[in-house]
Amino acid sequence: RGASFANEALSKLEYDVVTIDGSVDRSTARDVVGGRAGLQGNYDPRELIAENGKTAETVKETAKELLEALGPQRLIANLGEGLGGKESPELVNVFVEAIHEKSEKMISEAERS
């Protein structure tokens, strides 16, 4: 956390994956590492807290936004930070399922193109 400023340099050191925390602008994350490394992270754990007004629908939408910004390939879709203990297990499950479903659909559509 807080070290994403070094992602370009890290990607040039031939790491397979670099982590992006919540401070990273998704629209530039791929450009920074180029094709040199995959990406890991960047989903906001606050999206998984029901007390914040989050629902299965909001989680599905924000998971979709993550995949649309970063792409389904060479991505470990997980949190930009860790779980803090307030997250709803149900919403965590919705996140995992949404990532699987949407990424499979995106990859399938790309293969048909």
Side-chain angles (χ1 to χ4, degrees):
R1 182 174 177 190
S4 293
F5 66 88
N7 281 351
E8 182 175 10
L10 289 171
S11 72
K12 292 177 181 176
L13 294 173
E14 299 183 20
Y15 285 101
D16 293 329
V17 177
V18 295
T19 297
I20 53 176
D21 62 25
S23 70
V24 174
D25 180 354
R26 290 178 186 164
S27 68
T28 61
R30 286 276 177 208
D31 294 335
V32 169
V33 300
R36 296 178 299 273
L39 296 172
Q40 171 179 296
N42 196 265
Y43 191 76
D44 187 345
R46 293 175 293 191
E47 295 294 330
L48 302 173
I49 301 174
E51 290 79 21
N52 288 350
K54 304 307 179 181
T55 66
E57 290 308 311
T58 63
V59 170
K60 289 176 186 177
E61 183 58 32
T62 54
K64 176 183 167 195
E65 291 168 5
L66 173 85
L67 288 171
E68 288 175 346
L70 298 175
Q73 301 282 18
R74 300 195 72 192
L75 174 67
I76 299 171
N78 66 4
L79 306 179
E81 330 217 344
L83 292 172
K86 296 180 181 177
E87 297 80 10
S88 160
E90 293 80 14
L91 294 181
V92 171
N93 186 58
V94 169
F95 170 71
V96 171
E97 293 300 320
I99 291 294
H100 287 172
E101 290 172 15
K102 181 64 177 170
S103 63
E104 287 174 13
K105 182 177 179 184
M106 291 173 77
I107 293 167
S108 177
E109 289 172 355
E111 289 173 349
R112 286 192 296 244
S113 299

